[in-house]
């Protein structure tokens, strides 16, 4: 219990530190407005030309709100892989290991704190832009609760994958390429630009099975179309992916720590 | 006129050779960064291919047109930043008073300082642009020649725009965030079909965010194989470059040194 409180406190501190630069972070969200405006034009033309009222089960307003949420998830992604990479490369990790904390759990706490603030801000701006451009979509309290549950799983899963990429610095000259590839796979296979229902039917089952959908598509789909059965299925998929990634992180971290050579100073 | 231009091209070639040699000292990192950017761009093309598989025509544009937009934007942006790599970091150089070193040379400041750095990932963009155009569009010799000429025009546009937006730092101090937002908007609009936008936004695309000289005029030039349209695209790029250069020199009068001691190899 005390151990959990330690990491929760780290998360809270990280969130507070991000709140201190709120104006600066908010200025960066202008880009989200530009992107959503472009998406609106793209999908407005697509809905008009196809003559359909719903595409992938979503109306035009729902589509824009879906994209606002997926963008907010992607844009709030922390730079954890870069930070871990730097700590491994510079040897700063050795200092972290002296502390009475589990390094991966401390990183998880800090990352979640930072991400929640960044996501809230991005989602707030995204919601405002979507509201102005297409108006509201129906949102019920239980829908929001489902979305929040799915979002927490998504953030933990994303953290584990990014942390794993950062740990690659124990063996690789540069992990930024790997981080970029991971982020782009999350964007395209996770359904950031297209809901999975609009992908060719043959690949949809595979995409749903991959962890990327649990990070982006799942929570965003629940936001615009809450569904208890969908949530249950998503949580199971997220749970399995988190377990697999956690095992991989534990194994890679253990192997990496064995390679640390600390010299005095 | 021709002689100074040739002299400058020689200087650019010498800088490019030196910068490339320096980057190739870390060969694995170089290759991985170029490959990662290539893959990053490919993700967007995958999105458009998926999109057009579902919706084959968008306001008269086909997947081939949109891939040409991406190829032009990527190749132009890539060339600009691979060779004139100090265009993007310009706000930081100005805000931190790091222009002193460039003012000591007998060369004219702006054109010289732009060559001082190479953005490695931009080689991935440039490579992607040419490869994807040749592989997807399969142009004949005339179209390919015009495409290459247009990528040079787009490169000029991106350099001019980066100088213009970066020079804001002379007037706003740490204008980096604002310049970044403006550039991000330019890049975002440069990768979506211009036919999506009407009215005031269309005006914006030829003025404040001059992406129309990437996403519309050059595409029309390639569709019609029209030298007049290509000349119009080039005129737009030269105009943006001229405004950028004028604003830079206007701002340079307000420049304050950071009194930093720097060494250049």
């Amino acid at each position: 219990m005390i151990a959990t409180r330690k990491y929760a406190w780290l998360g809270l501190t990280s969130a507070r530190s991000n709140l201190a630069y709120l104006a600066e972070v908010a200025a960066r969200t202008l880009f989200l407005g530009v992107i959503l405006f472009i998406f609106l034009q793209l999908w407005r033309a697509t809905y008009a030309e196809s003559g359909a009222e719903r595409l992938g089960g979503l109306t035009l307003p729902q589509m824009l709100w879906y994209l606002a949420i997926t963008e907010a998830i992607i844009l709030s992604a922390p730079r954890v892989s870069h930070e871990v990479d730097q700590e491994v490369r510079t040897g700063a990790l050795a200092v972290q290991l002296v502390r009475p904390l589990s390094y991966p759990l401390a990183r998880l706490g800090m990352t979640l704190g930072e991400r929640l603030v960044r996501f809230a801000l991005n989602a707030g701006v995204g919601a405002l832009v979507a509201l102005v451009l297409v108006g509201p979509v129906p949102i019920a309290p239980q829908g929001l609760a489902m979305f929040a549950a799915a979002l927490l799983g998504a953030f933990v899963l994303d953290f584990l994958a990014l942390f794993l990429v950062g740990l690659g610095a124990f063996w690789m000259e540069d992990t930024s390429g790997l981080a970029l590839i991971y982020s782009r796979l999350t964007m395209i296979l996770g359904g950031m630009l297209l809901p999975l229902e609009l992908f060719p039917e043959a690949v949809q089952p595979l995409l749903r099975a991959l962890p990327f959908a649990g990070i982006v598509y799942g929570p965003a789909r629940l936001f615009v179309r809450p569904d208890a059965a969908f949530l249950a299925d998503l949580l199971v998929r997220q749970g399995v992916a988190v377990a697999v990634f956690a095992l991989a992180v534990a194994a890679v971290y253990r192997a990496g720590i064995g390679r640390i050579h600390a010299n005095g100073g | 006129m021709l002689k100074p231009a040739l002299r400058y091209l020689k200087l650019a070639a010498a800088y490019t050779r030196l910068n490339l040699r320096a980057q190739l000292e870390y060969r694995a990192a170089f290759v991985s960064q170029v490959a990662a950017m290539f893959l990053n761009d490919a993700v967007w093309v995958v999105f458009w291919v998926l999109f057009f598989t579902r919706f084959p025509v968008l306001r008269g544009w086909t997947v081939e047109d949109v891939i040409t937009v991406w190829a032009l934007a990527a190749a132009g942006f890539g060339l600009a930043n691979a060779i004139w790599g100090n265009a993007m970091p310009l706000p930081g150089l100005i805000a931190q008073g790091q222009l002193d070193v460039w003012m000591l040379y007998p060369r004219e400041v702006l054109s010289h300082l732009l060559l001082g750095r190479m953005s490695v990932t931009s080689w991935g963009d440039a490579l992607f642009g040419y490869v994807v155009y040749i592989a997807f569009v399969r142009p004949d010799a005339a179209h390919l020649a015009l495409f290459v000429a247009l990528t040079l025009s787009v490169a000029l546009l991106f350099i001019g725009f980066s100088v213009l937006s970066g020079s804001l730092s002379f007037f706003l101090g740490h204008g980096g965030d604002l310049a970044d937002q403006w550039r991000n908007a330019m890049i975002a609009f440069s990768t979506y079909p211009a036919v999506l936008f009407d009215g005031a936004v269309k005006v914006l695309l030829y003025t404040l965010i001059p992406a129309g000289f990437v996403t519309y005029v050059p595409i029309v030039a390639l569709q019609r194989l029209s030298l007049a349209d290509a000349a119009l695209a080039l005129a737009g790029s030269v105009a943006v470059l001229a405004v950028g250069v004028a604003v830079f020199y206007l701002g340079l009068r307000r420049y304050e040194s950071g009194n930093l001691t720097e060494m250049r190899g």
Side-chain angles (χ1 to χ4, degrees), chain B residues 27-85:
Chain B
R27 201 169 289 260
F30 180 89
V31 172
S32 78
Q33 285 183 61
V34 170
M37 189 47 74
F38 191 98
L39 196 81
N40 166 59
D41 294 345
V43 162
W44 295 97
V45 168
V46 169
F47 160 67
W48 282 114
V49 169
L50 286 169
F51 185 91
F52 278 96
T53 305
R54 190 85 188 203
F55 313 105
V57 178
L58 183 67
R59 291 201 174 166
W61 277 37
T62 61
V63 68
E64 205 171 85
D65 296 319
V66 177
I67 285 179
T68 306
V69 165
W70 254 95
L72 264 176
F77 180 87
L79 275 185
N81 292 293
I83 298 172
W84 291 273

Side-chain angles (χ1 to χ4, degrees), chain A residues 24 27-28 30-31 34-35 37-39 41-43 45-46 49 55 173-174 176-177 180-181 184 187-188 192-194 197-200, chain B residues 26-29 32-33 36-37 39-40 43-44 46-48 50-51 54-55 57-60 177 181 184-185 188-189 192 196-197 201:
Chain A
E24 193 185 326
R28 291 187 190 140
L30 279 174
F31 180 60
V34 172
I35 285 293
F37 174 76
I38 294 175
F39 281 160
Q41 302 308 313
L42 173 65
W43 286 105
T46 309
E49 292 204 357
L55 292 173
E173 203 175 291
D174 180 21
S176 62
L180 186 71
I181 290 169
R184 294 311 179 255
M187 283 160 76
I188 196 81
M192 182 191 91
L193 300 158
L194 277 179
E197 288 84 356
L198 293 180
F199 278 72
Chain B
Y26 305 94
R27 201 169 289 260
S32 78
Q33 285 183 61
M37 189 47 74
L39 196 81
N40 166 59
V43 162
W44 295 97
V46 169
F47 160 67
W48 282 114
L50 286 169
F51 185 91
R54 190 85 188 203
F55 313 105
V57 178
L58 183 67
R59 291 201 174 166
D177 272 352
Q181 296 292 329
N184 286 339
F189 277 105
Y192 286 87
L196 289 176
F197 310 105
V201 182

Side-chain angles (χ1 to χ4, degrees), chain B:
Chain B
M1 179 69 186
L2 193 66
K3 233 176 167 183
L6 279 175
R7 267 208 308 269
Y8 183 66
L9 283 179
K10 265 184 167 173
L11 179 75
Y15 259 102
T16 307
R17 209 167 38 243
L18 283 172
N19 285 333
L20 197 59
R21 266 195 214 154
Q23 295 296 344
L24 285 174
E25 282 296 311
Y26 305 94
R27 201 169 289 260
F30 180 89
V31 172
S32 78
Q33 285 183 61
V34 170
M37 189 47 74
F38 191 98
L39 196 81
N40 166 59
D41 294 345
V43 162
W44 295 97
V45 168
V46 169
F47 160 67
W48 282 114
V49 169
L50 286 169
F51 185 91
F52 278 96
T53 305
R54 190 85 188 203
F55 313 105
V57 178
L58 183 67
R59 291 201 174 166
W61 277 37
T62 61
V63 68
E64 205 171 85
D65 296 319
V66 177
I67 285 179
T68 306
V69 165
W70 254 95
L72 264 176
F77 180 87
L79 275 185
N81 292 293
I83 298 172
W84 291 273
N86 258 341
M88 289 291 262
L90 194 57
L93 294 177
I94 295 169
Q96 288 162 24
Q98 290 180 321
L99 297 188
D100 302 21
V101 66
W102 302 100
M103 295 166 95
L104 296 173
Y105 287 91
R107 288 263 176 196
E108 186 272 321
V109 182
L110 179 62
S111 58
H112 192 199
L113 98 88
L114 291 178
L115 291 168
R117 191 180 304 192
M118 171 177 283
S119 158
V120 175
T121 52
S122 296
W123 285 116
D125 284 318
L127 187 68
F128 173 84
Y130 294 114
V131 168
V132 84
Y133 186 69
I134 292 167
F136 270 82
V137 181
R138 298 175 185 276
D140 54 29
H143 278 90
L144 184 59
L146 187 60
F147 174 80
V148 172
L150 286 166
T151 58
L152 299 178
S153 159
V154 171
L156 276 186
L157 177 75
F158 276 117
I159 296 166
F161 187 77
S162 290
V163 170
L164 174 62
S165 53
S167 298
L168 281 184
S169 287
F170 284 124
F171 306 94
L172 302 175
H174 285 277
D177 272 352
L178 190 64
D180 280 351
Q181 296 292 329
W182 196 9
R183 285 170 184 184
N184 286 339
M186 170 73 178
I187 293 168
F189 277 105
S190 297
T191 52
Y192 286 87
V195 284
L196 289 176
F197 310 105
D198 305 303
V201 182
K202 211 165 184 175
V203 177
L204 267 186
L205 292 185
Y206 294 95
T207 50
L208 208 56
I209 305 171
F213 296 108
V214 183
T215 58
Y216 189 72
V217 187
I219 304 301
V220 173
L222 279 166
Q223 283 170 345
R224 299 179 188 158
L225 206 59
S226 154
L227 287 180
D229 286 305
L232 192 63
L234 181 63
S237 299
V238 171
V240 171
L241 184 63
V243 174
V245 171
V247 172
F248 176 84
Y249 282 105
L250 198 67
L252 195 58
R253 295 180 193 168
R254 306 163 61 101
Y255 172 69
E256 288 175 31
S257 165
N259 290 320
L260 297 168
T261 307
E262 282 188 273
M263 273 177 63
R264 298 191 62 240

